[in-house]
Every structure is written in structure tokens, then in C-alpha cells.
């Protein structure tokens, strides 16, 4: 045995292979779990036909909703609201300055 504690390089290779297969197995399990749970996420549906609402925009519009907040304390709460709306209404376009405003002088556009 040398400093590594293995008597041969074959043991090191075998250990590395087992570790890599374990990582792949964990990855596959997590991916499968996420795909199963993603189907069961709640979303907003129309009462009349149980379909997702059509979120059409006029040609002159870019956003369905503009979220506003107090700069000093409201950014994280409003960001959570935006993410939850996007989960409940797939395809919704929500404006939030911390995500969508690149230049402050373009706020009025």
C-alpha cells in the first residue's frame, strides 16, 4: 500500500466507476422525480372548459402585468409573486424592473 491506501490502480479505477454510476443514478432519480411532480403543479384554468386561458396581447402591448414595489424593501416579495404567477399561468408576461429593466431611463416606454 502506498500513500493513497490502495494496493493497486485497479482498485482506484473500480472505486471511481462505482462513484460515477452512483452519481448518474442519483441524477436519473432526481430527474424522474421532477418530471413527475412538474405535471402535478397547480395552474389557473377556465371554469367553463377546464383549459388554460389564452393570454393574448395586443400588438402594442409587451406585458400582461406590471408589478411595482418599494425599492428599499419590496424586491424579493414581488419577485416571488412574479415567479408564482408564471407557474400558475404559463405564458404570462410580467414586467418586474429587477428582471426586465435594463436602463432606468426606459421605464416610461
Amino acid at each position: 500500500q502506498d500513500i493513497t491506501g490502495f494496493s493497486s490502480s485497479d482498485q482506484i479505477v473500480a472505486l471511481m466507476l462505482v462513484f460515477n454510476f452512483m452519481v448518474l443514478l442519483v441524477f436519473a432519480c432526481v430527474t424522474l422525480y421532477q418530471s413527475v411532480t412538474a405535471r402535478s403543479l397547480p395552474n389557473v384554468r377556465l371554469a367553463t372548459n377546464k383549459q388554460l386561458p389564452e393570454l393574448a396581447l395586443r400588438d402594442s402591448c409587451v406585458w400582461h402585468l406590471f408589478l411595482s414595489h418599494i425599492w428599499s424593501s419590496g424586491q424579493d416579495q414581488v419577485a416571488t409573486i412574479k415567479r408564482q404567477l408564471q407557474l400558475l399561468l404559463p405564458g404570462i408576461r410580467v414586467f418586474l424592473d429587477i428582471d426586465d429593466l435594463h436602463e432606468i431611463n426606459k421605464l416610461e416606454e
Side-chain angles (χ1 to χ4, degrees):
Q1 288 187 353
D2 60 358
I3 283 182
T4 61
F6 296 98
S7 59
S8 72
S9 62
D10 291 339
Q11 287 181 338
I12 296 172
V13 170
L15 182 66
M16 290 174 70
L17 285 173
V18 168
F19 176 76
N20 285 333
F21 283 120
M22 293 298 289
V23 168
L24 287 173
L25 180 65
V26 168
F27 174 76
C29 290
V30 168
T31 302
L32 179 64
Y33 174 77
Q34 287 181 339
S35 66
V36 168
T37 57
R39 291 182 193 164
S40 63
L41 288 175
N43 49 34
V44 174
R45 296 188 176 269
L46 298 173
T48 55
N49 59 9
K50 305 294 186 225
Q51 297 294 318
L52 292 172
E54 181 182 333
L55 299 173
L57 283 171
R58 293 182 183 173
D59 292 337
S60 61
C61 297
V62 178
W63 311 100
H64 292 106
L65 181 66
F66 178 90
L67 290 176
S68 183
H69 60 88
I70 298 173
W71 275 81
S72 60
S73 64
Q75 289 182 353
D76 55 340
Q77 292 95 346
V78 178
T80 300
I81 292 170
K82 178 181 177 177
R83 304 295 176 259
Q84 291 299 316
L85 280 170
Q86 289 174 328
L87 287 174
L88 292 171
L89 288 166
I92 191 169
R93 296 198 29 99
V94 180
F95 179 89
L96 180 59
D97 58 359
I98 56 176
D99 293 337
D100 304 305
L101 183 63
H102 302 291
E103 294 180 36
I104 192 70
N105 59 353
K106 292 188 176 183
L107 186 59
E108 297 294 324
E109 292 181 7

